[in-house]
């Protein structure tokens, strides 16, 4: 299948940073597609994975057992396409782009999945690292991929997640190059957001995670680093897609990597209260 | 049924504070019973609830939707009485005292549940507020019920949890009287432990939670407060027992309130990293 490459939404419309989440969802419903880093800044973005009800327990347990890559923000009731995280949203239409999976194979990347929806689908919305980019940015940490107008690079690692029932697979990470003088702030600020992956899983040599070439990410786009930058790796919400590939449930719907669901929640509400 | 009142373990054996978790589990396996506040200090204690596999998804979703009262630390595979949180532990024997529930009614409070165990039971271990007592104590906050050698008082509130499938019920809270000058530390330190209930759900007037009389807790024992103390309420891992009473699954096993499972985990590992 041809993989679709969309331009970042922020490049397509510079006003997207100031959109309300509702405006963003409506624009995506109308067909706009692209990576959502920086869109509706300050509002929480979420990964989507929907599986048939008879796989829902395995998926929820997989998330519980792997909370860094899979921090659950909401789970819908079977067949429902609404969520408590966004008033009036339709999970079948309001993401920029989706992926349709059959038996672990990616078969389609549509911008609307109403034709694929099933009455037995349970949708999981998982925290996304775009959320802590707001906190990092506020703390003065440069976000290279946003500066360069690219999707964040993501890599399949050699680390296996803890299996749950029929689900298993490797951990996927996102990578941001961080100048050494900002490393402390990057670790501290993301650690205070445990609901959106929390602190990094690794800093430095990518080989420690089994990543051979930072220039060839498995998802997203490569990002240019300054000479002194240290690569910092955070657990990534694309991990359930790697579990789908490895475990081959008969059917699944997900977001396209980097093209997230915009919730009405504010990033601050996931920050550990009382800290700082 | 006659409710069993055990003495706190710390009163029965003053050395219990310095026990290893393994020693504590062995003593409980031999039949010692009582509230475990302060036992094997610095090690993480956990609430237990085990339900038949066909109720496990509802329970896991209930926990996900109510993370403050029900922070999941581990979920066993059906029928298994072992956990990754404690090497060599047997969940059927190693808690001081259990509760056996049939159709939402408490029918027995044994110190060993091997005779009640079923091949389809899935056990949930949930974070316990005894964990943050260590952090509060280290920060200089007096823990009144420990000073007074009593079980912590717990109350059923008027706040309903978000339902999940067939499970619903009110939130249960534990209460600690805190001197005003220690309130900031109590809130900050517990907030940094989101895996064990996190920050308080309420401070001050108990009527705001629908609690009529602090002197008559629903579980545990009343605690004496100093004149200026402010009652501080944290979400409590007895909440699933209130859900069992309200939702009447055919069978469930739980710990007896205050009589927890001692894990090998250290309290510090649940503290939000990078903070403070």
């Amino acid at each position: 299948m041809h993989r679709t490459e969309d331009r970042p939404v922020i490049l397509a419309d510079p006003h997207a940073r100031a959109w309300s989440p509702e405006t963003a969802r409506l624009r995506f419903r109308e067909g706009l597609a692209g990576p959502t880093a920086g869109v509706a800044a300050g509002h929480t973005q979420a990964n989507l994975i929907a599986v048939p009800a008879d796989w829902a327990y395995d998926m929820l347990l997989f998330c519980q057992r792997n909370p860094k890559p899979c921090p659950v923000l909401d789970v819908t009731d079977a067949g429902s396409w609404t969520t408590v995280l966004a008033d009036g949203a339709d999970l079948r239409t309001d993401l920029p782009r989706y992926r349709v999976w059959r038996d672990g194979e990616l078969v389609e990347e549509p911008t609307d999945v109403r034709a694929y929806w099933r009455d037995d689908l349970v949708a999981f919305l998982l925290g996304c690292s775009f959320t802590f980019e707001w906190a990092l940015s506020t703390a003065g940490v440069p976000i290279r991929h946003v500066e360069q107008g690219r999707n964040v690079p993501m890599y399949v690692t050699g680390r296996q997640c803890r299996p749950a029932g029929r689900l298993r697979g490797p951990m996927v990470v996102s990578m941001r190059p961080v100048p050494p003088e900002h490393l402390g702030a990057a670790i501290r600020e993301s650690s205070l957001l445990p609901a959106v992956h929390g602190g990094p899983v690794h800093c430095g040599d990518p080989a420690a995670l089994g990543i051979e070439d930072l220039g060839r990410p498995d998802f997203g786009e490569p990002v240019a680093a300054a000479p002194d930058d240290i690569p910092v790796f955070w657990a990534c919400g694309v991990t359930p897609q790697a579990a789908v590939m490895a475990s081959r449930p008969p059917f699944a719907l997900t977001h396209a990597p980097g093209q997230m669901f915009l919730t009405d929640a504010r990033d601050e509400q996931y920050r550990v209260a009382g800290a700082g």
Side-chain angles (χ1 to χ4, degrees), chain A:
Chain A
M1 203 206 77
H2 172 71
R3 298 288 174 93
T4 308
E5 290 298 342
D6 296 303
R7 290 177 74 207
V9 172
I10 289 282
L11 293 187
D13 188 333
H15 301 295
R17 188 173 299 277
W19 287 348
S20 71
E22 191 179 15
T23 297
R25 294 194 297 267
L26 287 174
R27 297 297 300 276
F28 301 144
R29 190 181 296 184
E30 290 161 7
L32 179 68
T36 51
V39 173
H43 291 91
T44 303
Q45 302 199 14
N47 299 275
L48 170 73
I49 177 150
V51 293
D54 69 326
W55 283 73
Y57 181 70
D58 287 358
M59 182 57 71
L60 188 53
L61 190 59
F62 186 82
C63 293
Q64 191 281 320
R65 288 182 174 173
N66 300 283
K68 288 204 89 155
C70 309
V72 180
L73 302 183
D74 192 34
V75 182
T76 65
D77 292 320
S80 167
W81 51 78
T82 65
T83 166
V84 293
L85 297 175
D87 227 25
D90 185 330
L91 293 173
R92 305 168 304 169
T93 57
D94 292 3
L95 282 76
R97 192 174 291 283
Y98 298 81
R99 289 184 153 186
V100 182
W101 304 82
R102 293 194 192 280
D103 299 317
E105 304 286 338
L106 175 59
V107 294
E108 203 70 60
E109 281 195 315
T111 62
D112 178 322
V113 289
R114 278 177 295 181
Y116 299 92
W117 197 260
R118 297 165 29 156
D119 285 346
D120 66 345
L121 283 186
V122 176
F124 295 76
L125 294 169
L126 310 181
C128 167
S129 58
F130 291 170
T131 300
F132 64 67
E133 289 182 353
W134 152 82
L136 265 57
S137 203
T138 303
V141 182
I143 310 294
R144 302 289 189 215
H145 67 99
V146 174
E147 290 172 355
Q148 295 164 30
R150 297 184 194 166
N151 196 357
V152 69
M154 294 163 266
Y155 306 86
V156 176
T157 72
R159 285 199 197 168
Q160 291 299 307
C161 290
R162 190 176 159 203
R166 295 158 288 179
L167 283 173
R168 61 189 170 79
M171 183 167 64
V172 177
V173 294
S174 63
M175 189 281 291
R176 290 164 188 78
V178 175
E181 67 271 25
H182 291 294
L183 193 57
I187 293 173
R188 186 182 62 244
E189 291 300 321
S190 57
S191 294
L192 289 174
L193 289 157
V196 289
H197 304 307
V201 292
H202 179 64
C203 303
D205 185 8
L209 291 176
I211 299 168
E212 287 177 14
D213 183 355
L214 288 181
R216 297 180 54 188
D218 296 291
F219 311 98
E221 297 173 279
V223 65
D228 287 342
D229 281 358
I230 294 167
V232 182
F233 300 89
W234 279 270
C236 176
V238 171
T239 299
Q241 297 189 31
V244 164
M245 288 183 238
S247 318
R248 302 182 162 272
F251 185 72
L253 295 176
T254 70
H255 69 290
Q259 307 205 23
M260 318 306 291
F261 177 64
L262 257 298
T263 76
D264 290 341
R266 309 282 315 195
D267 293 340
E268 299 101 75
Q269 79 187 61
Y270 291 108
R271 195 162 196 264
V272 170

